[in-house]
Amino acid sequence: MKKYDIVVIGGGAGGLTVAAGAAGLGASVALIEKEKQPGGDCLHYGCVPSKALLQAAKEVYNARKAAKEFGLHLSGDIDFGVAKKRVIDAQKIIEKHDSVERFENMGVDVYHGEGSFITRNEIQIASQHQETMKIWGKRIVIATGSRPSIPAIEGLETVEYITNETIFDLDAAPKRLAVIGGGPIGLEMAQAFSRLGSEVNVFVRSNTILAKEDKELIPVALQELEKEMIFHFQSQVTKVEPIHPSGSIRLHIQYLATDDKNIVKRETTLEVDQLLIAAGRTSNIESLGLEKIGVETQNGHVLVKDTLQTSVSNIFAVGDIIGKYLFTHAAGMEGKAVIANAVFGLRNKAQYDSLPWVTYTDPEIYHLGLTEDEARCKHVDNLEVYKVNVDDVDRFVTDRQSVGILKVITDKKGFILGAHAVGKGASTWMQELVYAKQYKHPIGNVSKVIHPYPTHGAILQRAADQYWRKKLFSGFLPKLAKKYIQWFR
């Protein structure tokens, strides 16, 4: 049985970060990956293909919009094959960074198959292409990711629904698409297919989308999204059935509303050509045999300490399976923390306070830190809120972008508690605030940074300027300055 300093189960963002980092530090490393090509959900079904498709759809949308505005005439049907080829091309380029050859050149032994625990140090690797084998690891890192959650809907097994793992296999944009779920995956794919020619209906069980976002920003984003798709709030798809011979799907929908404290139910049906399930994620932990070795789980996730150590001291877990933040960059950050802990026995903690995330709709929705409601719960009234609309910033005006807002929440001293935005390119220009928050620079410092004119990032300077206006031009300072000026004359 071959022995290793570090065994990593799962070749997604978190697992690859650990494998590369540990190997670079001189540890002997084994990587177990069930797919032929490492890269995880992000490369194969998530970040990479979805953003490639979103960009293709955005170009189609902007071309139509520009043609209409400038009196041009566009004709013809969209070639979905072009959009699909863009997805494949992007994956081929990026997968080189995650290739088996690259990791083998680092000194990592890559095993294809599914890993499961025999003991706290022994891993069994089962593969269809070779005999089952065993390896031994001094430290083991679980990074097996997640998969789409499939809700219990009557008749779902009778139709060919799609998820984020199969949507990119489509050969054409469906004429009528239904999306179950109002989270980032559902919204991004809904908008992409709407722009590629689909009539899109989105079904959301609550009365809003993106429940984790600052509630003041959601109406701004929703105002734009509702121009491109139909939302069904407080709705539930209770049953689906195939329609022969067309191959379309009939949805049975139940709406729940409150009338004088009573729940009122209304039912209807809708026929669509394709159904996308985007109703959350489920951790891939069932086949690991965690119960045999005493690794504790809760609600389908692996329980970890702040150091990402499980209840079994030599075993760590990162990424979606711990159920904290299901983002590629979160898994990468966790992987970096684990490298030091697993290789050198340190006790670095995963830090989530300055972890941002983005919903890549158009406009983009950016989240950093606490929402205003969360901040008020934690800091009572000891906070300040600064807001700037995009149409107050010259570069957005020249780009004819009138919809969007920046909101920054700070304590009384100006240290950032949270920052949120809806707007074109928010994923790029908001990063300055991530740096300021993480390294404890007050918002006022952003005002002192020289921003070239005109840029979208000037919106951050506008917010920071509000801090100084409030600090310098209210209270006793203006009176003191007036007296000083009179004296100085």
Side-chain angles (χ1 to χ4, degrees):
M1 185 188 305
K2 195 163 185 179
K3 295 187 175 183
Y4 296 91
D5 297 317
I6 304 290
V7 173
V8 180
I9 308 176
L16 294 180
T17 298
V18 175
L25 291 170
S28 59
V29 180
L31 173 65
I32 304 170
E33 169 55 42
K34 66 179 180 179
E35 302 293 342
K36 181 179 179 181
Q37 169 64 44
D41 190 78
C42 179
L43 174 63
H44 300 297
Y45 317 116
C47 321
V48 173
S50 67
K51 303 313 168 279
L53 188 68
L54 278 167
Q55 180 60 26
K58 187 174 184 178
E59 290 180 21
V60 170
Y61 175 82
N62 286 339
R64 285 173 168 164
K65 186 178 178 181
K68 184 177 180 180
E69 183 173 357
F70 288 97
L72 301 174
H73 299 282
L74 294 181
S75 61
D77 297 325
I78 294 171
D79 187 344
F80 187 78
V82 174
K84 188 171 181 178
K85 184 177 183 301
R86 284 193 178 195
V87 169
I88 296 170
D89 288 347
Q91 288 173 311
K92 285 182 178 178
I93 293 171
I94 294 173
E95 72 181 8
K96 295 175 184 177
H97 305 302
D98 301 336
S99 68
V100 172
E101 292 76 17
R102 179 169 179 260
F103 278 81
E104 287 179 339
N105 289 335
M106 294 180 189
V108 176
D109 287 348
V110 180
Y111 295 89
H112 290 288
E114 284 203 55
S116 59
F117 285 92
I118 302 172
T119 69
R120 59 185 289 167
N121 293 103
E122 293 177 294
I123 302 294
Q124 176 177 280
I125 305 170
S127 172
Q128 295 179 343
H129 307 292
Q130 58 188 26
E131 291 185 8
T132 299
M133 63 176 66
K134 299 176 184 178
I135 60 176
W136 186 95
K138 184 177 182 181
R139 303 280 187 271
I140 298 171
V141 181
I142 311 169
T144 48
S146 65
R147 64 185 184 277
S149 293
I150 307 301
I153 299 174
E154 183 182 347
L156 193 59
E157 72 284 354
T158 67
V159 301
E160 294 186 5
Y161 63 88
I162 55 177
T163 67
N164 76 298
E165 293 185 351
T166 55
I167 192 170
F168 302 106
D169 295 332
L170 294 176
D171 293 322
K175 184 178 179 181
R176 301 166 299 177
L177 173 67
V179 178
I180 296 179
I185 294 173
L187 294 181
E188 289 176 6
M189 291 298 93
Q191 187 174 49
F193 276 87
S194 173
R195 292 180 168 189
L196 291 170
S198 300
E199 176 188 292
V200 180
N201 285 266
V202 181
F203 296 91
V204 186
R205 297 195 68 167
S206 67
N207 59 3
T208 188
I209 57 172
L210 302 172
K212 293 182 179 180
E213 304 302 327
D214 190 285
K215 67 181 182 182
E216 189 174 4
L217 272 66
I218 294 305
V220 180
L222 192 57
Q223 170 187 329
E224 294 302 292
L225 294 174
E226 286 183 323
K227 296 176 182 177
E228 302 182 50
M229 62 198 78
I230 301 168
F231 284 91
H232 302 258
F233 291 108
Q234 293 184 296
S235 67
Q236 181 179 359
V237 177
T238 58
K239 179 182 177 181
V240 299
E241 54 188 344
I243 301 175
H244 301 295
S246 66
S248 55
I249 303 169
R250 179 178 290 113
L251 309 181
H252 293 258
I253 307 144
Q254 184 178 87
Y255 296 89
L256 299 177
T258 303
D259 180 20
D260 294 330
K261 298 183 179 181
N262 295 316
I263 295 178
V264 179
K265 296 181 180 180
R266 179 171 62 86
E267 297 184 355
T268 188
T269 60
L270 178 71
E271 292 186 13
V272 298
D273 300 300
Q274 193 57 262
L275 173 63
L276 169 63
I277 305 292
R281 310 286 297 176
T282 298
S283 296
N284 294 324
I285 63 173
E286 295 88 352
S287 62
L288 290 168
L290 301 179
E291 64 285 348
K292 291 190 298 186
I293 58 169
V295 171
E296 294 181 7
T297 62
Q298 187 177 67
N299 299 325
H301 305 300
V302 177
L303 286 176
V304 293
K305 304 173 184 177
D306 291 341
T307 56
L308 299 167
Q309 196 173 31
T310 71
S311 56
V312 178
S313 60
N314 70 304
I315 299 174
F316 298 79
V318 299
D320 290 5
I321 59 166
I322 67 176
K324 290 185 180 293
Y325 296 94
L326 279 60
F327 305 112
T328 296
H329 52 287
M333 178 272 291
E334 291 162 352
K336 289 178 181 178
V338 162
I339 292 168
N341 296 347
V343 175
F344 297 117
L346 302 180
R347 300 190 61 79
N348 287 346
K349 295 181 180 180
Q351 300 289 342
Y352 300 99
D353 290 348
S354 297
L355 176 76
W357 65 76
V358 183
T359 300
Y360 291 92
T361 49
D362 185 11
E364 293 178 343
I365 305 163
Y366 196 102
H367 182 115
L368 170 65
L370 302 177
T371 65
E372 183 177 353
D373 285 348
E374 290 169 341
R376 292 201 181 280
C377 287
K378 291 190 174 186
H379 299 269
V380 193
D381 293 323
N382 184 32
L383 56 86
E384 300 287 349
V385 178
Y386 306 100
K387 303 175 191 176
V388 183
N389 292 322
V390 299
D391 56 7
D392 289 330
V393 179
D394 292 356
R395 183 55 189 269
F396 285 101
V397 173
T398 61
D399 289 352
R400 299 179 63 80
Q401 298 289 326
S402 60
V403 177
I405 185 174
L406 165 67
K407 181 175 183 178
V408 184
I409 304 141
T410 75
D411 63 16
K412 290 293 184 181
K413 294 182 179 180
F415 291 101
I416 299 170
L417 304 173
H420 309 272
V422 172
K424 175 185 178 182
S427 59
T428 301
W429 46 260
M430 281 292 285
Q431 280 304 110
E432 193 174 343
L433 295 187
V434 180
Y435 182 88
K437 183 179 186 303
Q438 183 167 336
Y439 292 99
K440 295 180 171 54
H441 291 285
I443 184 68
N445 283 7
V446 177
S447 178
K448 300 175 183 179
V449 175
I450 300 173
H451 294 74
Y453 179 87
T455 62
H456 299 118
I459 194 171
L460 308 179
Q461 194 170 33
R462 284 292 188 93
D465 288 346
Q466 290 180 22
Y467 167 83
W468 285 115
R469 281 197 298 271
K470 189 164 188 176
K471 191 175 185 67
L472 296 177
F473 304 132
S474 62
F476 75 94
L477 278 178
K479 296 178 182 178
L480 183 62
K482 184 177 181 180
K483 289 182 178 181
Y484 176 81
I485 292 170
Q486 291 172 345
W487 172 81
F488 183 71
R489 287 178 181 173

